[in-house]
Amino acid sequence: MMDKKFTMKIAIDGPGGAGKSTLAKGLAKKIGFAYVDTGAIYRTVGYAARSRGIAPDDAEAVSAMLKDIKVEARFECGRQDMYLDGEFLGDRIREHEISHYASAVSAIPAVREYLFDMQRSIADENNVIMDGRDIGTVILPDAQLKVFLTATPEERAMRRTNELIEKGQAANYEQVLADIKERDERDSSRAIAPLKPADDAIMFNNTGFTPAQSLEKLLGIVADKLGITEAQYEK
Ligand code: DC
C-alpha cells in the first residue's frame, strides 16, 4: 500500500452565522490552503430532497434518495462549486429555506455516512481549512489546528439578515433570529455528530469583531500554533 500524502488540516467548527466561511476563506487565501465548505455539501443534499418533494426529516425517504443522486464538490481557482447529478447549483443552495433542509437532512445518520469519505478524501489530498459542525470531532480528528468559532445568536442573526439583504433576498431579523435558534438547537442536540467543540479546540467568540479583526486574530493563532505565517506563503 502506498503511504498517505502528508497534508495540513485546519478545522473550523461553530454554529450558523458565526462567520466561519468568510474567515476560513480569508485564511485560505492568506496561507495558500484549499477552503472546503462542508455546509455547502449538506445543502446540496437538502436541495436534492426539496427538488424531489421529500420532507427533509423523513429519514427513510432521504436515505433511499441517496442511492439515486450524485453530489460533487469541484474546486476551481480557490472556489468550491457544488454539482448535483452533473448540474451546477450556484447560489441556489444559499436560499434561506435550504438552510432548514440542510440542517434537517444532516441529522440523518445515512446522510453523514454518505458524505464522510468525500470530505475525508479532499483533506487527504490537499492542505485544507475545512469548516462545518463536526470537522474537529468526526471528520478530521487529526487536524493540526481546531478552532470553535461562536458569536451571540443576536449578532449572528444580524449578520445573516444583512447578508440576505445584500443578496436581494427577503429577510426579517426576528424571523432569522428564531430560525438561527431553532437550527442551533437541532444541530447541537442531534444524536449523531452534534455541533460541539472538540476537546482540543481553541474557543474563539468573535461577537463585536469585524471580519478583518477576526481574520487578524485567527492569523495570530495559526502563526502561534502551526508556525505558518502569511509572509512565509508570500515568499
Ligand atoms: O454551514 P451551513 O449553514 O451552510 O450548514 C448548513 C447545515 O448543514 C447546518 O445547519 C448543519 C449542517 N452541517 C452539518 O451538519 N455538518 C457540517 N459539517 C456542516 C453543515
Side-chain angles (χ1 to χ4, degrees), residues 93-119:
I93 57 167
R94 302 286 158 203
E95 277 174 38
H96 191 53
E97 196 194 4
I98 297 296
S99 302
H100 169 75
Y101 270 79
S103 176
V105 298
S106 72
I108 300 171
V111 171
R112 305 205 76 85
E113 213 170 284
Y114 173 78
L115 298 178
F116 181 89
D117 287 346
M118 176 180 178
Q119 296 171 78

Side-chain angles (χ1 to χ4, degrees), residues 15-16 103-104 107 133 153 156 177-196:
S103 176
R133 303 293 188 285
R156 290 187 279 126
L177 179 60
D179 290 350
I180 276 194
K181 287 184 174 168
E182 187 204 325
R183 204 143 70 93
D184 282 359
E185 172 58 25
R186 192 177 323 100
D187 293 348
S188 315
S189 63
R190 67 185 175 215
I192 182 163
L195 167 67
K196 64 166 191 206

Side-chain angles (χ1 to χ4, degrees), residues 49 52-55 57-68 108:
R52 285 163 174 74
I54 295 173
D57 53 359
D58 182 341
E60 210 174 305
V62 172
S63 305
M65 174 190 83
L66 298 174
K67 290 190 269 309
D68 301 328
I108 300 171

Side-chain angles (χ1 to χ4, degrees), residues 24 39 51 53 64 100 104 132 136-137 140 157 160 191 195 203 217 226:
S51 319
H100 169 75
T137 50
L140 305 178
R160 222 354 98 85
L195 167 67
M203 302 299 290
K217 163 110 179 160
L226 302 179

